[in-house]
Amino acid sequence: MVSVSEQKAASKPDRDNLASYAVFAGLLATAGLPIYLHAPKFYDDTYGVSLTALAGALFLMRLFDVVQDPFFGWLSNWLSAVRGLAITIAVVVLALAMVGLFAVAPPIAPILWFALTLTLLFSAYSFLTITFYAQGVQKADQLGTNGHVRLAGWRETGALVGVCLASIAPTVLAFTGAPFAGFALCVVLLAVLAVWAMRTEWDAAPAPAEQSSSMGLILKDPIARRLLIVALVNATPMAVTSTLFLYFVDSRLQAPGFEGPLLLIFFVAAAASAGIWGKAAERFGAKPVLLGAMAFAVIVFAGASLLGPGDTLAFALICLGSGIALGADLTLLPAIFAARLSRVAPQAAEGFGLWSFVSKFTLAFAAITLLPLLEYAGLDGPETSTQASLELLTVLYALVPCALKVIAIALLAATPLQEES
């Protein structure tokens, strides 16, 4: 016989362990953008690998990463009964790959070692991200009203803090004489902490669904399909600006050396604003708040089209404003999608496999289309680039993302949502 107090305790949502999701998201964030910032330059400076070879390797690995994500969604569902063990193994692979990438002298040709370690790193990252977000759907359902928004606030804030710290870690660790090896060691320590922090969360993973795949359920749902399209269009501006950011700062603003501080302003603003957007969504609804943030992003970022040499301070203010808007993108749109998945396909890993596929496709597409266009137009550094290439750079970096964002706003506004949160 179960007492009333025991029933209440059993039904009470676990509201005290959301910080563990922030820690785990911070770990995953170290294998995202910071790798694109650090790894190519490290292998160029340390081992003399050409940037062309590194860019080609990154592009091929990203394409492979895109293809394997739906498979990882299926695998995550299949391993749901032993999710804690699968997560631990994947975290070990990620940590060892990071050590191999930055702290081990290549035992084979550096470009091959670069490709091998990054393939392992990105594969572990993809599996962990898909499984982690799927676990978040179950956790958010336990939290009750606005559970998806609350969880997303913790999770995405942790991810953004992780990006900020990982971006500056090699600079901070320069005094050690081996900053990138120190960075890899920090990731290993963070991996241990993240696995320990989440140790009780994986135990509640649901058993696999009876159907062989939940992907069909997701793709048959018109709202889920529309949200995936919104995600594709909405992620493309970030992919474009990420691909062209260094070129814009170096050649358009002629401000080499300011890339790091500007990125830090951008991501710190995103991290600081994520919780605020979450609170606003709890009060006013996720969809209207997200639409407002997206419109704000367009207004702010359009100003980049007016900048030229020496306008670094003005661009810093644009980074601040667009970073604030990014906090809403990263927090609310995944929360809306997760809430929809909890309605149509509780076995959510395959859904986030599709979500990850959509996001990574934009990065691969941006890299393979934009850079050749700029090279053909004559972009070749701040001193020797043609005027036509600089004008094209401004259009691609500042105006194209704004146009895409407007399309994403229209798509989201036309998407009929019961309040997904």
Side-chain angles (χ1 to χ4, degrees):
M1 184 73 176
V2 180
S3 69
V4 174
S5 61
E6 288 173 329
Q7 289 176 343
K8 290 181 178 180
S11 63
K12 182 180 179 180
D14 177 7
R15 300 178 184 273
D16 299 327
N17 202 30
L18 292 181
S20 67
Y21 285 80
V23 174
F24 202 90
L27 168 66
L28 294 179
T30 64
L33 180 63
I35 300 304
Y36 283 91
L37 292 176
H38 298 322
K41 190 173 190 308
F42 174 72
Y43 271 72
D44 178 32
D45 293 346
T46 307
Y47 303 114
V49 182
S50 73
L51 289 178
T52 300
L54 292 169
L58 280 171
F59 176 70
L60 290 175
M61 283 182 287
R62 180 52 77 192
L63 283 183
F64 175 70
D65 203 26
V66 164
V67 171
Q68 70 181 349
D69 280 351
F71 165 74
F72 279 145
W74 170 85
L75 182 64
S76 178
N77 272 348
W78 188 70
L79 294 174
S80 59
V82 289
R83 184 169 286 178
L85 176 61
I87 285 289
T88 301
I89 292 172
V91 169
V92 170
V93 171
L94 184 145
L96 291 178
M98 191 77 77
V99 171
L101 182 66
F102 288 121
V104 175
I108 55 179
I111 185 61
L112 295 179
W113 186 247
F114 175 84
L116 175 62
T117 53
L118 269 188
T119 298
L120 291 172
L121 179 63
F122 286 160
S123 295
Y125 168 81
S126 294
F127 177 79
L128 289 168
T129 299
I130 291 165
T131 307
F132 177 59
Y133 274 74
Q135 180 70 27
V137 172
Q138 181 185 352
K139 177 70 172 183
D141 287 341
Q142 296 171 1
L143 297 176
T145 305
N146 294 314
H148 291 280
V149 170
R150 290 184 58 238
L151 175 60
W154 280 89
R155 183 181 58 210
E156 306 310 329
T157 299
L160 289 165
V161 170
V163 167
C164 294
L165 295 178
S167 297
I168 65 173
T171 301
V172 174
L173 296 171
F175 73 93
T176 65
F180 287 96
F183 170 57
L185 177 60
C186 289
V187 172
V188 172
L189 296 176
L190 180 58
V192 173
L193 176 61
V195 169
W196 180 85
M198 288 286 291
R199 67 193 183 283
T200 61
E201 294 299 311
W202 313 113
D203 294 340
E210 290 298 323
Q211 66 270 18
S212 59
S213 172
S214 62
M215 194 175 296
L217 292 175
I218 297 164
L219 293 178
K220 287 178 183 178
D221 181 68
I223 303 302
R225 288 201 310 269
R226 178 68 70 88
L227 289 173
L228 285 170
I229 295 172
V230 171
L232 174 65
V233 178
N234 194 55
T236 305
M238 183 64 177
V240 170
T241 55
S242 296
T243 301
L244 300 181
F245 174 82
L246 296 178
Y247 298 94
F248 188 82
V249 174
D250 186 51
S251 297
R252 181 78 256 185
L253 301 182
Q254 297 185 10
F258 281 88
E259 298 91 346
L262 290 169
L263 279 173
L264 192 61
I265 290 171
F266 179 67
F267 285 115
V268 167
S273 67
I276 298 173
W277 290 117
K279 291 295 184 184
E282 289 180 29
R283 181 171 181 180
F284 301 108
K287 180 179 175 180
V289 171
L290 180 56
L291 286 171
M294 293 166 73
F296 175 68
V298 173
I299 295 170
V300 169
F301 204 72
S305 65
L306 306 176
L307 302 184
D311 291 332
T312 309
L313 178 59
F315 187 61
L317 294 176
I318 290 174
C319 288
L320 177 65
S322 56
I324 291 172
L326 178 68
D329 265 3
L330 296 182
T331 302
L332 302 184
L333 192 54
I336 292 172
F337 184 67
R340 189 65 193 177
L341 285 188
S342 71
R343 294 171 185 262
V344 300
Q347 298 296 321
E350 288 178 275
F352 278 106
L354 291 171
W355 187 266
S356 183
F357 172 91
V358 163
S359 300
K360 291 173 182 176
F361 174 79
T362 62
L363 282 169
F365 182 76
I368 201 62
T369 56
L370 301 179
L371 296 181
L373 280 175
L374 291 171
E375 183 178 12
Y376 179 78
L379 188 71
D380 188 29
E383 303 298 332
T384 56
S385 294
T386 64
Q387 184 61 31
S389 71
L390 294 175
E391 292 174 356
L392 178 61
L393 175 61
T394 297
V395 170
L396 292 178
Y397 180 77
L399 297 181
V400 169
C402 289
L404 291 167
K405 201 76 172 180
V406 169
I407 296 172
I409 290 172
L411 288 171
L412 180 60
T415 302
L417 293 176
Q418 298 172 4
E419 189 53 44
E420 313 282 352
S421 57

